[in-house]
Amino acid sequence: MGKLLVFGHQNPDTDAITSAISYAYLLNQLGEEAEAVALGEVSEETQFALDYFHKQAPRVIETAANETDRVALVDHNEAQQSVSDIQEVQVDYVVDHHRIANFQTANPLFYRAEPVGCTNTIIYKLFKEKHIAIPADIAGLMVSAIVSDTLLFKSPTCTQEDIEAATELAEIAGLDINTYGLEMLKAGTNLATKTEAELLNMDAKSFPMGGKTVRIAQVNTVDTADLLSRRGLLESVMETENQQEGYHVFVLVITNILTSESTVLVVGQDLELVAQAFESEYLDGLLVLPGVVSRKKQVVPPLTLAFDK
């Protein structure tokens, strides 16, 4: 068997990058020849974690079939979120914590999906099940992912398993979770140097809903008003991407990590349907959603129900 490429979704977040690193390490310990790669450049939050634990970012690939015929998917399973030539390679492994959609294989595979807050929580359990020791630097990256995906345990996606995994991993890494976690999250909110296009695509995913494509981007911040000062330019880029990529609607979720509240900017068609999905009304063209911080659990499901009716 040839080399196995391990990667997360496009526009990778901290979990996508670090779960590729941690799972590739585990697979190598189990006898696979595995390499962690990425489907995009790392964010500032992820770079903070990588720098802290003295790890290099995985190299970025655009296609996989030119290098291998075998891949492992982490932190995603949907084809439109994966490598562009996913249909040309064999998926041998999937470790994920999202919904399962637009996914099928011709051959049997290892598939592990659990409704927890972070992919690295599942990978931590796999390490324990296989009795493989976790190095301190890998443990630190895994903690970083759990902190990121659960917003330091404030997200409704967070489970007791996430908290327990993060606590044990932090002990291995020698971390104070709260101090480190807040520093890392704040590093990810440095948005001033990013263009509008970069902001909209640094953590964005496309979802098929009711026969249409809905683009959902999420940006974490500590100052919602500062980001909304660029609203006109953001709306212009969103409209352009709708036209160029065929998105039915572009939904930008601006999440304040200090107040656990999201402000939603919507460009495209069926704007009222989006408001109805959240049982909300537009105020100055924006939806303000207290307590909404999770795209996976609080944004995608109600939108899917609304568009599938």
Side-chain angles (χ1 to χ4, degrees), residues 12-39:
D13 57 9
T14 300
D15 192 27
I17 294 294
T18 62
S19 59
I21 294 172
S22 61
Y23 195 48
Y25 178 86
L26 175 60
L27 289 174
N28 276 304
Q29 298 306 301
L30 295 174
E32 285 277 13
E33 182 189 356
E35 179 190 0
V37 294
L39 302 187

Side-chain angles (χ1 to χ4, degrees), residues 25 39 64 69 78 114 131 135 146 180 236 238 252 258 298:
Y25 178 86
L39 302 187
D69 58 358
E78 299 190 47
E114 297 185 21
H131 305 289
I146 298 172
Y180 169 79
S236 177
M238 291 163 75
L252 172 60
L258 300 181
Q298 296 173 296

Side-chain angles (χ1 to χ4, degrees), residues 6-308:
V6 185
F7 48 81
H9 51 76
Q10 298 173 21
N11 304 312
D13 57 9
T14 300
D15 192 27
I17 294 294
T18 62
S19 59
I21 294 172
S22 61
Y23 195 48
Y25 178 86
L26 175 60
L27 289 174
N28 276 304
Q29 298 306 301
L30 295 174
E32 285 277 13
E33 182 189 356
E35 179 190 0
V37 294
L39 302 187
E41 299 296 336
V42 303
S43 67
E44 291 185 342
E45 176 191 280
T46 308
Q47 191 62 58
F48 177 92
L50 291 168
D51 289 344
Y52 192 96
F53 295 104
H54 309 291
K55 299 290 286 187
Q56 287 191 337
R59 65 185 178 91
V60 177
I61 64 167
E62 295 184 1
T63 57
N66 59 308
E67 297 188 44
T68 185
D69 58 358
R70 304 170 61 237
V71 301
L73 311 184
V74 292
D75 200 31
H76 76 295
N77 67 83
E78 299 190 47
Q80 75 278 2
Q81 298 174 9
S82 197
V83 73
S84 60
D85 59 349
I86 189 65
Q87 304 299 338
E88 299 176 32
V89 292
Q90 177 173 300
V91 179
D92 282 355
Y93 301 89
V94 177
V95 182
D96 192 18
H97 67 134
H98 295 95
R99 70 176 191 174
I100 300 172
N102 310 304
F103 179 84
Q104 63 181 19
T105 62
N107 298 304
L109 74 160
F110 176 88
Y111 199 113
R112 182 76 168 258
E114 297 185 21
V116 293
C118 181
T119 305
N120 269 291
T121 298
I122 307 171
I123 295 173
Y124 167 73
K125 294 166 71 174
L126 291 172
F127 269 100
K128 293 189 71 174
E129 290 166 12
K130 298 297 184 181
H131 305 289
I132 302 294
I134 307 175
D137 54 353
I138 299 291
L141 294 180
M142 295 171 75
V143 171
S144 302
I146 298 172
V147 166
S148 176
D149 267 14
T150 67
L151 288 179
L152 201 52
F153 315 127
K154 293 180 181 179
S155 171
T157 62
C158 184
T159 68
Q160 186 60 33
E161 289 184 279
D162 295 297
I163 296 171
E164 291 173 359
T167 301
E168 294 184 31
L169 287 165
E171 290 182 5
I172 297 172
L175 285 179
D176 179 289
I177 296 179
N178 290 319
T179 301
Y180 169 79
L182 191 57
E183 289 179 0
M184 186 195 72
L185 290 174
K186 285 184 176 179
T189 66
N190 181 18
L191 308 175
T193 61
K194 289 183 169 50
T195 66
E196 285 71 29
E198 288 172 337
L199 287 171
L200 291 167
N201 287 288
M202 65 183 187
D203 186 8
K205 295 180 180 179
S206 298
F207 299 88
M209 299 181 184
K212 304 175 177 65
T213 300
V214 178
R215 184 71 163 175
I216 305 175
Q218 185 169 27
V219 176
N220 290 338
T221 184
V222 294
D223 190 343
T224 302
D226 182 57
L227 192 57
L228 286 176
S229 68
R230 304 165 68 174
R231 176 175 172 177
L233 292 172
L234 287 167
E235 289 176 329
S236 177
V237 175
M238 291 163 75
E239 180 61 38
T240 297
E241 293 208 9
N242 283 349
Q243 294 173 359
Q244 292 180 346
E245 305 297 333
Y247 304 141
H248 185 75
V249 63
F250 199 125
V251 179
L252 172 60
V253 182
I254 303 169
T255 300
N256 190 310
I257 64 172
L258 300 181
T259 63
S260 296
E261 177 180 88
S262 288
T263 301
V264 180
L265 179 62
V266 189
V267 172
Q269 304 177 55
D270 288 328
L271 302 191
E272 284 305 318
L273 192 59
V274 174
Q276 292 169 19
F278 297 113
E279 299 180 349
S280 182
E281 295 182 359
Y282 289 100
L283 179 63
D284 189 27
L286 299 169
L287 299 174
V288 179
L289 308 177
V292 172
V293 297
S294 169
R295 175 174 53 197
K296 179 183 68 175
K297 192 167 186 176
Q298 296 173 296
V299 177
V300 173
L303 284 174
T304 300
L305 287 174
F307 277 93
D308 284 348

